[in-house]
Amino acid sequence: MAFIALKNVTKRFGTVVAVDHLDLQIEAGEFLTLLGPSGCGKTTVLRMISGLEIPDEGEIEINGEDVFSSETGVFVPPAKRGVGLVFQSYALWPHMNVFGNVAFGLQTQGVKKEDLGYRVDSVLDYMRLEGLGKRFPQELSGGQQQRVALARMLVTRPPVFLMDEPLSNLDAKLRMEMRTEIKRIHRESRATTIYVTHDQTEALPMSTRVAVMDRGTLQQVAPPQAIYRRPANLFVADFIGSPTINFVSGEIAKRNGGIFFKGGPLRFLAPGMELSLGKQVVAAIRPEGIQVLKEESQETFPGEIYAILPAGPEVFLQVKLGNLILNVREITGAFLEVGESVSLRFLPTSVIFYDKTTGLLLSPSKEAHGL
């Protein structure tokens, strides 16, 4: 039985369907990230689990008990759901010092004064906030305020952590530090964690599973590597990955006994796609699946460097190939210049195919693509 279960959950705001008949199972102790563009419904899902938003239809269970049911009329208020919340804005009370902010949840639970002080001090030490108990939120840095918000959630020891874009207000260095901190907290607490973000650089390295949403509907739920390597449809493929995946429209054809993809100026083997012969498809090629070479061969295509974007240890290239401009990721591109002629080689194991009409992933044979 899933620790948290959403069954046929729908939420409307006027004529806008924010969440559309969502079915989602979250196992005990996992770290599930709700990922998608702004307005896709991910924060609404989090707020419905917490009880801050009431669904129009469906059921929500936490630890085997209904906390909401449109059929039976059950609604358990937020304070009784056993969830801890961390918001994008931190939501710290400016008139309370750090100790008071963290202690508030324990006070509402009726924890005795002698136990309260020990638990607050312990969690402040755990979050590396020792000595800051008497400071007020406006006297703290952004990173310290975020740690206070996490400490306030942790001190009540909830079995469920709900986090709504908690790192979006921090700079890049602090975001990296806090990702590590949140992973440590999850590992040590073993709390079931649901994390909302639009940033895949947070979702992929932090999560046990990722749930990708678009316009209120669930597109795919899978471990991060599966989401990256085998996106379920064209939306997920386009949304996941940086630089953006390359799409080339074409068809699957047979030539000289082999199965090929042909689209625009490209022709290359499409192993395992026999069942899609004659089908109009979209070939999706990750930027790291294209090699930039100086030498030509039967397996390469002539191209021209269109743009060079250094990115630390990597170089992102845009290469013009006929009427296509392709994104390429290289470990080093120091020998390349804009306008230079190069040869492109496509790695067959890095190409996946989608039905052009439905946008859904086409499954090759088990031997194909090394998967």
Side-chain angles (χ1 to χ4, degrees), residues 126-146:
Y126 180 74
M127 291 304 301
R128 293 184 288 166
L129 292 166
E130 60 275 7
L132 300 180
K134 294 183 179 180
R135 290 194 187 181
F136 287 85
Q138 56 269 31
E139 298 174 317
L140 304 175
S141 67
Q144 289 171 331
Q145 290 183 50
Q146 183 60 77

Side-chain angles (χ1 to χ4, degrees), residues 302-333:
E304 178 185 309
I305 300 297
Y306 184 77
I308 300 175
L309 306 169
E314 299 176 315
V315 176
F316 300 151
L317 307 171
Q318 287 190 324
V319 183
K320 193 170 184 180
L321 181 64
N323 60 351
L324 300 174
I325 294 181
L326 302 173
N327 295 316
V328 180
R329 177 189 281 125
E330 284 277 319
I331 298 301
T332 175

Side-chain angles (χ1 to χ4, degrees), residues 45 57 62 73 76 134 150 187 194 213 228 237 241 265 303 361:
V45 171
E57 301 172 29
I62 297 179
V76 176
K134 294 183 179 180
L150 288 167
R187 183 180 66 252
I194 305 176
M213 295 188 66
Y228 186 80
L361 178 69

Side-chain angles (χ1 to χ4, degrees), residues 159-235:
V160 178
F161 296 165
L162 305 177
M163 304 186 188
D164 186 9
E165 305 215 38
L167 309 184
S168 60
N169 292 329
L170 303 179
D171 62 40
K173 183 179 179 181
L174 271 177
R175 281 200 302 272
M176 179 62 73
E177 291 178 4
M178 291 307 300
R179 283 177 209 155
T180 304
E181 203 68 33
I182 289 171
K183 282 289 286 183
R184 174 180 71 92
I185 291 168
H186 173 254
R187 183 180 66 252
E188 294 177 356
S189 68
R190 299 182 180 177
T192 304
T193 301
I194 305 176
Y195 188 99
V196 165
T197 184
H198 63 274
D199 186 350
Q200 57 186 284
T201 61
E202 289 180 11
L204 297 182
M206 294 177 68
S207 311
T208 308
R209 288 190 303 155
V210 177
V212 182
M213 295 188 66
D214 179 43
R215 292 178 288 186
T217 62
L218 190 62
Q219 301 294 311
Q220 186 175 5
V221 186
Q225 279 301 312
I227 290 278
Y228 186 80
R229 295 184 65 193
R230 304 283 292 167
N233 55 45
L234 287 172
F235 171 81

